[in-house]
Amino acid sequence: MLLTEMAPPPGAQEVAGLRAGARTARRRAFVALCASIALLTTVQVLADRATTREQALPLAVLSLALFAAALPALAVTQYVWGARARRLRRRERELYAVARSGRTRPLSRLAVACGWAATLLLGWTVPRFFRDAALYGFADALSWAVEALSVLSAAAGVLFLLWWARDAVGILARVLRPGGSPGDPWDPGHGTRPREGAALWTGAAVAVAALLGARAHLWEPATGVIYALLTAALVCGVVTDE
């Protein structure tokens, strides 16, 4: 009997489905992160260029709304990603005694942490836009909230670094251990990922980095270029997600 005519081993189809679900959750988490940073950065760059109170106020409100929406969106999408990845690793260990997935987990987690840091730093500048709009009382209240959030964020960052280092060392030890997963030749997703995905993610990352550079005043692009970069980041993310 040919290999292609043999029935897949028990659990192979389930693992294939779990891998597909984990990849989908990962893509959605990165799309949410990319879109949050791109939108928030674009609005703040435009708010920086506002010349009157009437122009600054709507952009300040939009910046606050985007920041408030970004935090739960990032938390939910990343929680779903983590839950599906843990379920996949448990099933892989049950079938193969070794979890094939997860070797790039430290890098992806570090990238997500950098995204969180960028989002929080952008959010901490929101009170200044309300001061520019002459809403000083509201800006002072936001500043107090930002200070409290910054303390919590710093504590969470220290805990993350400790947890990340422990997890990275554990993964490295498992990689160096002899033996490994026999693989799953019946997995329809293995080895068939479109190469265009890497190019699209690279394009989105470059666009977001360019927007962050403009927000940090490392360069001063025209307003049309800002909108083009935002469009590129969102389009690359959406196409990649599909």
Side-chain angles (χ1 to χ4, degrees):
M1 181 181 294
L2 295 176
L3 180 63
T4 55
E5 297 176 354
M6 295 174 61
Q13 292 180 339
E14 179 188 359
V15 170
L18 291 174
R19 286 175 184 157
R23 287 195 296 266
T24 299
R26 180 182 60 187
R27 286 196 302 269
R28 290 175 180 174
F30 276 109
V31 167
L33 186 62
C34 176
S36 298
I37 296 176
L39 289 169
L40 192 55
T41 305
T42 299
V43 171
Q44 291 192 358
V45 169
L46 297 177
D48 265 340
R49 300 181 179 186
T51 57
T52 64
R53 177 183 181 277
E54 289 73 18
Q55 292 176 345
L57 181 57
L59 293 171
V61 173
L62 182 56
S63 180
L64 178 60
L66 286 172
F67 180 63
L71 296 183
L74 297 183
V76 169
T77 54
Q78 291 170 23
Y79 173 80
V80 173
W81 173 21
R84 291 186 180 182
R86 286 190 296 271
R87 184 180 177 189
L88 169 60
R89 289 195 297 272
R90 284 195 300 268
R91 191 59 178 144
E92 283 180 330
R93 290 192 183 99
E94 290 173 357
L95 292 176
Y96 305 128
V98 175
R100 191 184 70 183
S101 61
R103 293 188 178 183
T104 61
R105 192 164 69 242
L107 293 178
S108 60
R109 284 177 172 173
L110 192 59
V112 168
C114 291
W116 270 98
T119 304
L120 291 172
L121 288 173
L122 291 170
W124 293 345
T125 63
V126 170
R128 183 174 65 82
F129 299 114
F130 284 94
R131 288 194 181 91
D132 294 340
L135 294 179
Y136 303 108
F138 188 68
D140 291 339
L142 278 181
S143 297
W144 180 87
V146 163
E147 290 176 1
L149 181 60
S150 64
V151 173
L152 295 175
S153 301
V158 172
L159 293 176
F160 168 79
L161 288 176
L162 294 174
W163 171 69
W164 179 84
R166 180 184 64 83
D167 191 60
V169 170
I171 291 176
L172 180 60
R174 288 192 293 271
V175 169
L176 298 177
R177 193 176 302 161
S181 170
D184 182 8
W186 289 271
D187 182 0
H190 180 58
T192 59
R193 299 180 190 180
R195 295 182 179 180
E196 293 80 2
L200 291 171
W201 278 123
T202 301
V206 169
V208 170
L211 288 172
L212 287 172
R215 178 66 185 88
H217 302 288
L218 299 179
W219 69 310
E220 298 293 335
T223 302
V225 175
I226 294 295
Y227 284 119
L229 290 172
L230 173 63
T231 302
L234 296 180
V235 168
C236 287
V238 169
V239 172
T240 301
D241 189 47
E242 291 178 352

